[in-house]
Amino acid sequence: MKRVKKLTIIGCLVSATAFAQHSGQIDAAHLPALAPHYQPEYTFDELVDSAAWKGQGSGLHVAFGSTEQAYFRTAVPSQKVTATWEATGWKNERLNAQLLVWSPDSLRQVRFTVGDLINENGKVIHHQHTKLHLVRYVLSNYPYGAKDATCEGTPYKQGFLMPDRFEDFDRFDLPGRTTRPVWLSLDVPADAAPGQYTGKVLVHTERYTDTLYMKIRVQRQLLPPPHDWQYRLDLWQNPWTVAWANHLEPWSAEHKALLKKHLQLYADAGGKYITTYGVHSPWSDNSYMIEGGMITWIKERDDSWKYDYRIFDEYVEMAMALGIDKAITIYTPVPWGNRFRYTDAATGNYVYEQWAPGTAVYRTRWHDFLNDLKAHLEKKGWFNKTYLGINENEMEQTLAAIKVIKKHSPQWRITYAGNWHKELDTLLDDYCYLYGKEPTDAQQRQRSARGATTTFYVCCNPPVPNNFVFSPPIEGRWISWYSFARGYDGFLRWAYDGWPEDPVRDARFGGWPAGDCFLVYPGGNSCIRFEKLREGIVDYEKIRILKAQVAASGSKAAKRAWQALEQHLGVFAKEHDFNEEKITGDVDKGRALVAALSDAVGQ
């Protein structure tokens, strides 16, 4: 009895202690749920069609799927699967395929052996020119193919897993009743002999082995290296995110080492613009790691001003060394809320002030800064490739800022991303329109005739076409066909790397559509969206090159082939419904016409 009584008293003491208030206490409702182990991807998606899995025979199932569509983790691949991958391309072109592995049973140690490709004359494309990446699933706030995405927040309460992120791997285990996509890239060597090549891919597990086949036709044309592509790809970069994601001091040696790998992806896709920041946090502090200034403004004790370009120079030199050397954009003369930050040398404090375009203080400060900046850029040999980037604001502020810049020197180049405004046309050296807010064909032809460059962009709108993780992959490739059809010079997107809290698993960022803020992943890892965008850029370059070759050719067959392609390009400029099957067919037909034209010109 005494022992029981003693235990009862202790139980009461524990209970009282559990409900006491303690310093630093957090309500249980706010505690994050902890998992026993880190998961490289979420796996809480629900099985939609269990009957389809029951219809699958046991063991290993493998096939090539289409790179133009998504395949889901708990769904049986039911469309566009084949045992043979057939592709046609130029020398130095990257050709992509999507391998699919699925089973109603759990499989262990799934791995691949890619063989050499050999043509009819015994010429070999070594298997080292192929790369495999595991496709990981990331969390989306919209379902696949959604056409109701907005910048104001999703109406969906559920989450959706989408295939996107690439990951290096040696082998993997496959849970029962799941599918795993694997991305295969073949970089055709620049010195490959033209002809038809064949090869095999062996797929192994602990218990099974299966075989897939490759048939690759290499044409005579040579695709230039990405540095020499004329397509103007502009993906806004935030290099501070690379430091944040890896817990590094910004601009440390370790940070810069990772930045090089990170920027290499952009360079390999033909990136042209280096995103730099002349002011601190131009976009209203709306990122997990805000964009700091690369040029420090310092007010001296005697009220004079000086400017520190150390970070700016380091970043530009790093990007140029990787081949990103056609344009430098400095953001921005019109930051969010007209907020500017400088360092007060007398106190060491950061000082924040609002200088609205059109005011005397704005004109004074920017005239002084532009004097110093112009001298610095000329000394570095960068002035003629530098643009002052103006983001979309009220027209009165935009025009006032442009007036200050042009009054300082008409030699300044200005780039602007926003809706088409006729009053801005002749003021801008580089104009990027929001898709759907564009000029007429006649207005665009006038701009091109002046030698001004033009691109277009998508962001959290429109819902289609876009590069969200839930966008059908074909839309990423379609974008550059549209760009060529409208006579544009390329494409812009914010952003290259505006990562959310846990980007490797969760692509959501606030209320914006998932994937809106980034196109590549930490660690310098690519994804389906980025590779599809790159494919479209290559299509654009091939059409541009072929157009010039046809103009210089006396071949009637080549001219007829060009006329067929030129006529087909019109369907991209007129597209408005974005039915996935239709736009896939339009791109596929266009690619077939490009292949036929390549043959005609190459004869």
Side-chain angles (χ1 to χ4, degrees), residues 394-435:
E394 294 179 5
M395 185 55 59
E396 182 181 358
Q397 291 191 346
T398 300
L399 292 172
I402 292 174
K403 183 177 180 181
V404 170
I405 294 167
K406 292 297 186 182
K407 185 175 181 180
H408 178 268
S409 172
Q411 294 178 304
W412 281 111
R413 298 167 186 254
I414 300 175
T415 182
Y416 175 91
N419 296 349
W420 161 257
H421 299 284
K422 185 173 177 56
E423 57 266 51
L424 292 180
D425 182 24
T426 58
L427 298 176
L428 302 175
D429 304 273
D430 183 78
Y431 202 156
C432 183
Y433 320 125
L434 175 63
Y435 177 84

Side-chain angles (χ1 to χ4, degrees), residues 435-436 438-439 441 445 464-465 478-479 481-488 566-579 582-583 586:
Y435 177 84
E438 304 157 81
D441 289 339
R445 284 194 295 269
V464 290
W478 184 95
I479 278 171
W481 285 82
Y482 176 78
S483 187
F484 196 99
R486 288 300 313 271
Y488 298 159
E566 188 174 38
Q567 181 178 9
H568 180 63
L569 286 169
V571 306
F572 296 93
K574 298 174 183 177
E575 181 60 52
H576 55 84
D577 291 330
F578 288 95
N579 172 274
K582 178 185 181 300
I583 64 173
D586 290 341

Side-chain angles (χ1 to χ4, degrees), residues 142 148-154 459-462 468 510-513 516:
Y142 283 87
D148 55 349
T150 72
C151 302
E152 308 303 326
T154 177
C459 54
C460 57
N461 67 85
F468 306 134
W512 295 326
D516 172 47

Side-chain angles (χ1 to χ4, degrees), residues 28 50 60 69 79 164 233 253 256 259 323 341 350 357 400 409 460-462 479 518 546:
S50 58
L60 174 67
Q69 69 178 72
Q79 295 179 337
D164 191 47
L233 177 63
K256 287 183 282 189
L259 269 177
R341 190 186 86 175
Y350 290 138
S409 172
C460 57
N461 67 85
I479 278 171
F518 65 99
L546 288 168

Side-chain angles (χ1 to χ4, degrees), residues 297-464:
W297 297 40
I298 304 168
K299 185 178 181 180
E300 301 283 41
R301 294 174 184 270
D302 62 358
D303 289 340
S304 64
W305 291 76
K306 76 173 185 179
Y307 308 92
D308 183 348
Y309 297 94
R310 179 181 61 85
I311 294 174
F312 174 83
D313 290 350
E314 287 183 355
Y315 189 65
V316 171
E317 288 166 359
M318 178 191 302
M320 286 188 171
L322 295 171
I324 310 165
D325 57 7
K326 295 297 188 294
I328 304 165
T329 307
I330 301 177
Y331 290 104
T332 173
V334 192
W336 191 274
N338 301 318
R339 182 187 66 172
F340 292 88
R341 190 186 86 175
Y342 63 86
T343 300
D344 186 341
T347 64
N349 294 334
Y350 290 138
V351 179
Y352 295 85
E353 293 185 2
Q354 287 185 308
W355 306 334
T359 62
V361 64
Y362 181 93
R363 290 191 294 269
T364 300
R365 290 277 53 80
W366 271 84
H367 184 83
D368 186 82
F369 173 56
L370 292 177
N371 274 339
D372 201 82
L373 178 61
K374 187 171 186 288
H376 181 78
L377 292 170
E378 288 175 336
K379 182 179 179 181
K380 301 290 287 187
W382 298 340
F383 180 74
N384 290 333
K385 60 179 63 178
T386 296
Y387 295 81
L388 297 177
I390 299 181
N391 48 302
E392 191 164 25
N393 283 274
E394 294 179 5
M395 185 55 59
E396 182 181 358
Q397 291 191 346
T398 300
L399 292 172
I402 292 174
K403 183 177 180 181
V404 170
I405 294 167
K406 292 297 186 182
K407 185 175 181 180
H408 178 268
S409 172
Q411 294 178 304
W412 281 111
R413 298 167 186 254
I414 300 175
T415 182
Y416 175 91
N419 296 349
W420 161 257
H421 299 284
K422 185 173 177 56
E423 57 266 51
L424 292 180
D425 182 24
T426 58
L427 298 176
L428 302 175
D429 304 273
D430 183 78
Y431 202 156
C432 183
Y433 320 125
L434 175 63
Y435 177 84
K437 305 292 184 180
E438 304 157 81
T440 65
D441 289 339
Q443 289 170 322
Q444 175 55 30
R445 284 194 295 269
Q446 291 174 358
R447 182 169 178 81
S448 297
R450 295 198 308 269
T453 57
T454 305
T455 59
F456 82 104
Y457 76 98
V458 297
C459 54
C460 57
N461 67 85
V464 290

